[in-house]
Amino acid sequence: MRSIIVMMSIAIGLFAGMAVLSLYKGMMKSRIATVVNAEIGHIQIHDTDFKKDYEPRFFIKNANTVLHEIQKIPEIKAIALRSITTGMLITPTGSAGVKINGIIPAQENGVSQLKLKIKKGKGFSEKKKNEVFIGKKLADKMKLKPGSKLVLTFTDTAGEIVSGAFRIAAIYQSDNAPLDERNVYVKIADLNELLGLTDQFHEIAIIIQDDKYLASVKKKLQQHLPQYQVDSWIDISPEMDLMVKTTDQYSYIIIVIIMIALAFGIINTMLMAILERTREIGMMIALGTSRIRVFMLILFETFFLTAAGTPIGIFLAWGIISYFNKRGLDLSGMGKEMMSSFGFNTLVYPEFPGEKLFGILVIVVSTAIISCLFPAARALKLKPADALRR
Amino acid sequence: MTNGKAIIDAHNISKIYNADTIPVYAVNNVHLHIEEGEFTALVGPSGSGKTTLLNLIGGLDKADAGNIYINNIDITKLSAGKLIDFRLKNIGFVFQSFNLIPVLTAKENVEFIMLLQGAGKTERLQRVQQLFKEIGLEDKLNSRPAELSGGQQQRVAVARALASKPRFVLADEPTANLDSKSAANLLDIMEMLNKEEKITFLFSTHDQRVIQRARRVVTLVDGAVAEDTSNTMMNGKL
Ligand SMILES: Nc1ncnc2c1ncn2[C@@H]1O[C@H](COP(=O)(O)OP(=O)(O)OP(=O)(O)O)[C@@H](O)[C@H]1O
Ligand SMILES: [Mg+2]
């Protein structure tokens, strides 16, 4: 009975550790997927001066050469051309600083999936001019809805202040609320007209066939387009990379906490087991079992229980994680607002942390062994005469 | 009785519990001399110190005063580690109850002691066969303690006590939990081992029928030897 408890605590400890890691891994993967597929794309190309101040005059020159180079790389799946500027969004009730993205709607669907994020409104229509998408958070703040009018003000390529009246065609929402608040989307032709551009653009967002080509594609582009700035999503969003790494550390802290709980569980059950078997252990010592042997027996017992509990834990973890990996685990109970303000989707697809399996195993097994040392030491102090009187 | 070889020679041994509060003289200045081949009962009212004295002689407890020679070795001078080893090689123990390790079979319980001694497999097997034959439980080798009756368990305990081929066995109320038939049966086995293998037995008991079968009876009262008689007459009849 006791052995089953110890075995189960080891299994559950292992499972809990794996569950935490799988959850983190799933969250990180989905976050990266969001960053790549809905925000940044894998790679972006700009004029080398553009990102300093987002000045509209630093558009991509020799666009045809650039596009030609891109077409030569087979790993590239989709691209989106954007012209970009920063400015003010003004309504009768207030104003806000925004980044204005001039886009080609058909291209965006393959890169940032803008269409899928529409919460209200019909989206861009072919014929109408000066339509705009704004994020839900901004819309709520400024009390705007589809059909509302607003004015966008910014400087053109010549440095003159220009403004245009736009009508809201859609309100969109992504998993990243801060980004939603800052970005508005208009059609590239409308923006270029105001900026004083024609067919030019400032940004090329690229989606590649698979994450694994990221470094090689970036390198190729950089070689062929030395006069442009080629960035991968890691360069653009270094905080994302940092977050992945710190979460890794946090997950280990959580594992340590779980292991401390596990250790107390094992110490407790093993102490009880020894208390229960005081007579038995006392008798073994009385009959001539050396204390080292008694110690080893208890150690071996724990070791075998660990060995028995481990596959159960791994199997449990694997089963449950695979289930939720397919179905998705809804964490909206934890607060949709909170998750989205950090840019996380509330539907997490936990992933089995295979590469960390060995590490967790080592931690769990050593926790179990270390936590049985104390009860084992207690057993050694038993005086056979006292133990036998029980 | 005085010309035989001494197995136990206890001089002036005392054991005092709670020395700093209300002292209990559990064993008070006892002399005890036991020779090879004896079959001796230790009797006395409850609390008279029988268990304590057996524990002292068996090296399970430390005496507060006196010397105890077992096979001419003063066990009060042995270190804890040496004492455990000494017990393993020289003394067989049978306790009142819960003698056996519940997770091991009867055979394993006996083998266990020989394993501790480092006996080889064939040697262990032979010894186990022989011992189980002597206790009449050849068919119960692979039973677990829970599947044996109290009497059978005590017989296995006797077999285990003899596994390491000690010259004498200490038994604290070995029949206390047995019905009279099982008790008689256990005594038969002990007597047989005493006669045929010259194993010395020192056992405590309350049971009048068991006392009758002892050849010598040492009576304790309040931790001291009150009476020491030989039942030679009785022995002659058997
Ligand atoms: N660990 C202990 N601490 C304090 N006193 C003890 C301890 N063990 C035994 N005693 C006391 O020592 C005395 C002798 O006890 P012991 O168990 O040796 O008697 P006994 O003759 O075996 O009795 P019984 O026939 O009931 O088994 C008793 O008064 C008992 O209360
Ligand atoms: Mg007693």
Side-chain angles (χ1 to χ4, degrees):
Chain A
M1 189 56 217
R2 294 254 174 257
S3 358
I4 291 173
I5 292 176
V6 173
M7 221 166 79
M8 284 333 273
S9 10
I10 287 162
I12 289 168
L14 202 62
F15 167 70
M18 306 270 279
V20 168
L21 287 187
S22 76
L23 220 57
Y24 274 133
K25 190 173 174 188
M27 277 166 80
M28 284 305 129
K29 268 225 160 163
S30 93
R31 179 74 192 107
I32 290 171
T34 310
V35 165
V36 167
N37 293 321
E39 290 167 17
I40 295 174
H42 283 105
I43 292 171
Q44 292 187 350
I45 301 173
H46 300 98
D47 182 276
T48 37
D49 288 319
F50 178 72
K51 291 196 93 179
K52 286 176 195 152
D53 277 314
Y54 290 92
E55 274 185 62
R57 65 194 165 102
F58 296 121
F59 52 83
I60 291 176
K61 279 106 196 160
N62 303 322
N64 283 333
T65 337
V66 175
L67 291 176
H68 187 70
E69 285 301 332
I70 291 173
Q71 265 160 15
K72 284 201 293 196
I73 299 174
E75 290 92 344
I76 290 175
K77 194 166 138 195
I79 62 165
L81 309 178
R82 298 164 183 163
S83 71
I84 292 168
T85 191
T86 55
M88 294 292 286
L89 178 151
I90 301 164
T91 70
T93 53
S95 63
V98 288
K99 183 174 166 201
I100 304 158
N101 299 272
I103 57 161
I104 301 163
Q107 284 185 347
E108 286 306 320
N109 296 336
V111 176
S112 68
Q113 293 156 358
L114 187 61
K115 207 171 184 174
L116 300 178
K117 298 180 199 163
I118 294 176
K119 287 286 164 301
K120 269 189 228 159
K122 288 196 285 285
F124 292 118
S125 63
E126 293 277 319
K127 286 159 253 157
K128 286 183 192 154
K129 269 191 75 176
N130 282 14
E131 288 181 314
V132 64
F133 279 22
I134 70 167
K136 185 171 178 298
K137 199 161 178 200
L138 186 64
D140 290 347
K141 221 183 227 175
M142 311 275 283
K143 302 198 177 58
L144 293 168
K145 39 185 207 296
S148 304
K149 271 190 145 181
L150 54 82
V151 172
L152 295 173
T153 303
F154 43 90
T155 50
D156 67 8
T157 40
E160 301 291 329
I161 292 180
V162 291
S163 21
F166 286 78
R167 192 178 289 277
I168 296 176
I171 290 172
Y172 74 92
Q173 185 181 23
S174 74
D175 295 328
N176 194 332
L179 274 186
D180 291 0
E181 199 177 348
R182 250 189 78 69
N183 282 280
V184 303
Y185 296 89
V186 300
K187 278 181 279 190
I188 192 166
D190 297 341
L191 183 61
N192 279 359
E193 194 180 320
L194 288 164
L195 285 171
L197 298 172
T198 48
D199 286 342
Q200 293 95 337
F201 46 87
H202 301 100
E203 181 171 280
I204 305 172
I206 297 172
I207 294 283
I208 55 177
Q209 304 285 0
D210 195 300
D211 290 334
K212 63 184 178 213
Y213 303 131
L214 185 65
S216 66
V217 171
K218 183 190 164 186
K219 203 170 152 203
K220 230 183 264 177
L221 285 170
Q222 215 144 35
Q223 272 167 1
H224 294 300
L225 305 167
Q227 64 274 51
Y228 299 92
Q229 185 174 343
V230 178
D231 296 311
S232 73
W233 65 266
I234 298 170
D235 306 320
I236 295 166
S237 183
E239 74 279 1
M240 193 53 227
D241 201 43
L242 187 73
M243 185 148 87
V244 171
K245 284 181 183 128
T246 39
T247 330
D248 241 29
Q249 287 163 1
Y250 277 128
S251 63
Y252 272 107
I253 292 174
I254 289 182
I255 284 174
V256 166
I257 294 171
I258 293 172
M259 289 308 128
I260 290 173
L262 173 64
F264 275 107
I266 292 177
I267 289 177
N268 196 42
T269 21
M270 287 308 280
L271 274 180
M272 299 275 262
I274 284 162
L275 214 69
E276 228 172 39
R277 286 185 300 186
T278 298
R279 258 197 79 95
E280 203 178 312
I281 294 169
M283 185 185 67
M284 280 166 62
I285 296 174
L287 294 175
T289 316
S290 70
R291 283 168 202 270
I292 305 234
R293 276 212 165 89
V294 172
F295 188 79
M296 293 306 280
L297 274 176
I298 293 169
L299 224 63
F300 271 126
E301 183 177 357
T302 315
F303 191 80
F304 279 119
L305 292 179
T306 311
T310 302
I312 297 177
I314 292 176
F315 191 74
L316 204 70
W318 178 78
I320 292 177
I321 291 168
S322 321
Y323 173 80
F324 282 113
N325 185 257
K326 287 203 191 75
R327 293 270 322 263
L329 184 62
D330 193 1
L331 293 182
S332 48
M334 278 173 65
K336 207 176 168 73
E337 290 295 306
M338 203 255 301
M339 295 282 280
S340 127
S341 65
F342 286 108
F344 283 104
N345 193 323
T346 44
L347 197 60
V348 175
Y349 294 89
E351 199 161 311
F352 191 75
E355 72 283 355
K356 301 225 173 78
L357 185 60
F358 183 73
I360 302 182
L361 225 72
V362 169
I363 295 175
V364 170
V365 172
S366 42
T367 306
I369 301 288
I370 290 168
S371 41
C372 87
L373 291 181
F374 173 65
R378 277 284 297 264
L380 293 193
K381 292 212 184 90
L382 277 180
K383 293 204 182 89
D386 294 340
L388 286 167
R389 276 188 197 273
R390 301 271 174 94
Chain B
M1 252 201 196
T2 45
N3 49 6
K5 195 174 144 218
I7 278 208
I8 303 170
D9 209 354
H11 293 285
N12 298 43
I13 54 170
S14 295
K15 178 77 189 176
I16 305 156
Y17 288 115
N18 309 330
D20 39 358
T21 54
I22 312 152
V24 178
Y25 289 83
V27 168
N28 194 358
N29 204 21
V30 166
H31 294 260
L32 189 64
H33 182 89
I34 304 254
E35 284 176 6
E36 185 144 50
E38 280 194 31
F39 198 69
T40 300
L42 195 57
V43 304
S46 185
S48 57
K50 303 182 293 292
T51 298
T52 307
L53 181 59
L54 286 176
N55 284 348
L56 292 178
I57 293 170
L60 300 180
D61 214 346
K62 267 206 150 351
D64 293 311
N67 298 88
I68 303 162
Y69 295 89
I70 310 267
N71 299 333
N72 293 321
I73 290 166
D74 187 353
I75 64 163
T76 61
K77 300 248 155 47
L78 292 178
S79 69
K82 284 241 173 69
L83 197 57
I84 289 178
D85 203 41
F86 185 84
R87 283 204 296 269
L88 177 61
K89 289 187 183 126
N90 297 281
I91 311 173
F93 289 93
V94 177
F95 306 107
Q96 181 178 332
S97 57
F98 305 114
N99 253 305
L100 307 176
I101 296 169
V103 294
L104 301 181
T105 62
K107 172 180 159 230
E108 288 163 348
N109 262 285
V110 175
E111 244 189 319
F112 165 70
I113 297 292
M114 287 182 276
L115 266 175
L116 290 179
Q117 279 198 319
K121 192 166 179 176
T122 37
E123 189 191 341
R124 294 202 304 266
L125 221 71
Q126 270 177 3
R127 185 91 180 123
V128 166
Q129 298 280 338
Q130 180 205 342
L131 287 167
F132 274 75
K133 202 168 154 197
E134 284 172 351
I135 61 169
L137 287 178
E138 295 132 295
D139 53 336
K140 299 286 184 192
L141 278 172
N142 294 313
S143 304
R144 297 197 187 269
E147 298 158 5
L148 298 173
S149 74
Q152 289 170 335
Q153 287 183 37
Q154 289 304 73
R155 276 145 71 188
V156 175
V158 169
R160 185 191 55 193
L162 295 172
S164 62
K165 299 189 178 170
R167 294 313 301 153
F168 87 101
V169 172
L170 294 175
D172 191 11
E173 315 212 24
T175 62
N177 291 337
L178 303 185
D179 58 76
S180 46
K181 195 163 159 261
S182 305
N185 185 254
L186 187 69
L187 260 289
D188 289 343
I189 289 168
M190 285 164 60
E191 225 163 37
M192 182 269 290
L193 290 165
N194 174 255
K195 288 226 175 79
E196 290 177 9
E197 307 209 2
K198 299 279 171 292
I199 306 281
T200 310
F201 279 89
L202 174 60
F203 50 92
S204 71
T205 185
H206 278 117
D207 189 337
Q208 201 53 43
R209 285 159 305 186
V210 176
I211 296 171
Q212 281 172 9
R213 295 180 63 168
R215 287 201 296 279
R216 178 184 167 194
V217 178
V218 177
T219 310
L220 284 183
V221 175
D222 290 338
V225 177
E227 219 184 312
D228 191 344
T229 53
S230 289
N231 267 347
T232 26
M233 288 269 290
M234 188 69 78
N235 186 42
K237 271 188 209 162
L238 289 163

